[in-house]
Amino acid sequence: MIAGTLFGHLKFPGTINSFSFRLLRNSSKMTAITQVSSNKMFGGFQKVYSHESTECKCTMKFGVYIPPQAEVKKCPVLYWLSGLTCTEQNFVTKAGAQRVAAEKGIILVAPDTSPRGVNIEGEDDSWDFGSGAGFYVDATEEKWKTSYRMYSYVTKELPEVINANFSSLPDKMSIFGHSMGGHGALVCALKNPGKFQSVSAFAPISNPIKAPWGIKAFTGYLGGDQSKWQEYDATELVKKYTGPALNMLVDQGKADNFYVEGQLLPDNLSAACASNSVPINLRIHEGYDHSYYFIATFIEEHINHHAKFLFQ
Ligand SMILES: N[C@@H](CCC(=O)N[C@@H](CSC=O)C(=O)NCC(=O)O)C(=O)O
């Protein structure tokens, strides 16, 4: 059902919840989204939408929490990037972020972690590469390069879709994430100086070119030339960062098995920040593991961190 066709203007989504399909237009392209689910939560709405992604060449889903304030005014947007094996659902159902977003008046957006069902041979063979493991890079290897464009998806296409369809302030956005997604958030901020008001990460894969997960993914998506990997490595990028303040917060659990195994390497990130005088607030927490229990514990502090800069 095409319940409403709205051209060029943002309508407050809370007032048109019954629409199962909306077609809107910004200046350059059509950004049609289809509502998959909608649940009232803390006075706002937790929704899931799908859309045809031009970057990923497939149907992509994203979760969006619309706080009650979006009924009456435009709100800043905080993008969340999830980790390996996740869909848009993990953050929506496990992080407990909506209550704080409702209090602050922040729209939360949580995309899927890779293209889905694009019929690349081997895409579903492992949990740390291919489906559910896009690593937020634009692949350059022949097999993957057409659809595995998660970097462009999360930095360009998705914000366009959000700004065309929701009550958002286009110039007030921040980004955070977990593990693969924590690293993705850092890279998005580092590669786009000034685009994000702040960045934070839970247990990011901080130096993927030195970690087994990253080496596997970058070899597959970017090929064997390791000099190209540095363009997507937060520790390498921060060494030459010259942009405005990143306002960077990183939390790491000390009982995180992936930290203990050397997949995450936050000390490398912190040393690289120090070498280029880039401030980072890296907090190591006794006893916490890699799970969403850890994320849920500190999510409020992260959202408060972003709120400070989103409402400046
Ligand atoms: N193979 C295991 C472990 C996968 C896992 O721990 N994934 C994390 C992210 S790891 C780095 O990006 C995660 O967020 N899992 C989802 C969750 O809801 O906890 C497995 O398949 O579980």
Side-chain angles (χ1 to χ4, degrees):
M1 176 185 74
I2 300 181
T5 303
L6 310 174
F7 289 108
H9 299 286
L10 180 63
K11 303 299 177 199
F12 297 121
T15 62
I16 50 174
N17 288 328
S18 60
F19 290 1
S20 59
F21 182 93
R22 291 186 290 146
L23 183 64
L24 295 99
R25 185 176 63 188
N26 64 17
S27 55
S28 57
K29 62 173 117 165
M30 305 301 283
T31 52
I33 58 172
T34 303
Q35 187 171 292
V36 176
S37 64
S38 176
N39 299 91
K40 190 161 187 182
M41 196 176 188
F42 298 111
F45 285 87
Q46 177 62 57
K47 292 169 179 275
V48 174
Y49 286 90
S50 67
H51 71 116
E52 296 311 308
S53 165
T54 51
E55 294 291 354
C56 300
K57 314 283 186 307
C58 66
T59 306
M60 292 292 284
K61 282 192 200 164
F62 62 86
V64 56
Y65 178 71
I66 303 157
Q69 294 86 340
E71 292 267 2
V72 292
K73 62 177 185 187
K74 294 192 176 201
C75 297
V77 185
L78 179 53
Y79 290 86
W80 170 267
L81 304 184
S82 287
L84 294 164
T85 73
C86 291
T87 67
E88 81 292 341
Q89 285 295 318
N90 299 68
F91 177 74
V92 166
T93 57
K94 291 175 142 183
Q98 294 93 339
R99 178 184 58 78
V100 194
E103 277 170 24
K104 296 281 174 194
I106 294 174
I107 296 171
L108 295 172
V109 177
D112 201 349
T113 54
S114 75
R116 299 282 171 179
V118 285
N119 295 320
I120 298 173
E121 182 259 319
E123 69 186 346
D124 296 323
D125 286 359
S126 50
W127 64 270
D128 54 2
F129 185 72
S131 296
F135 256 87
Y136 306 101
V137 301
D138 285 348
T140 51
E141 285 298 279
E142 196 55 40
K143 198 169 148 184
W144 304 94
K145 72 179 189 188
T146 304
S147 54
Y148 273 67
R149 295 182 51 77
M150 288 301 289
Y151 172 72
S152 288
Y153 178 71
V154 299
T155 56
K156 296 189 197 109
E157 183 176 6
L158 187 59
E160 280 179 19
V161 167
I162 295 302
N163 292 329
N165 286 282
F166 298 95
S167 181
S168 57
L169 290 165
D171 296 331
K172 293 286 179 191
M173 54 199 265
S174 290
I175 191 160
F176 67 158
H178 172 226
S179 198
M180 170 184 77
H183 179 257
L186 294 169
V187 165
C188 290
L190 285 160
K191 282 169 84 72
N192 296 279
K195 185 173 186 130
F196 299 98
Q197 268 62 59
S198 47
V199 59
S200 76
F202 293 86
I205 305 168
S206 299
N207 193 187
I209 66 173
K210 299 256 171 69
W213 278 337
I215 292 168
K216 177 176 176 176
F218 286 9
T219 304
Y221 297 135
L222 304 175
D225 178 358
Q226 297 195 9
S227 64
K228 304 229 173 86
W229 298 4
Q230 299 190 358
E231 289 168 39
Y232 286 107
D233 184 291
T235 294
E236 292 301 323
L237 289 169
V238 85
K239 288 178 190 169
K240 49 187 189 189
Y241 183 77
T242 56
L246 289 160
N247 303 316
M248 189 183 351
L249 168 66
V250 174
D251 276 330
Q252 176 61 59
K254 212 169 173 180
D256 176 337
N257 54 332
F258 298 127
Y259 171 58
V260 175
E261 288 165 15
Q263 291 279 18
L264 307 177
L265 306 170
D267 295 338
N268 293 6
L269 177 67
S270 155
C273 285
S275 76
N276 190 23
S277 304
V278 174
I280 178 175
N281 184 6
L282 169 62
R283 311 186 303 184
I284 307 290
H285 301 279
E286 203 68 48
Y288 287 94
D289 63 19
H290 198 68
S291 70
Y292 268 81
Y293 295 107
F294 166 56
I295 295 170
T297 303
F298 296 104
I299 197 79
E300 181 163 8
E301 292 179 28
H302 279 241
I303 296 175
N304 286 339
H305 168 75
H306 292 292
K308 251 189 332 209
F309 304 102
L310 287 168
F311 289 105
Q312 256 177 10

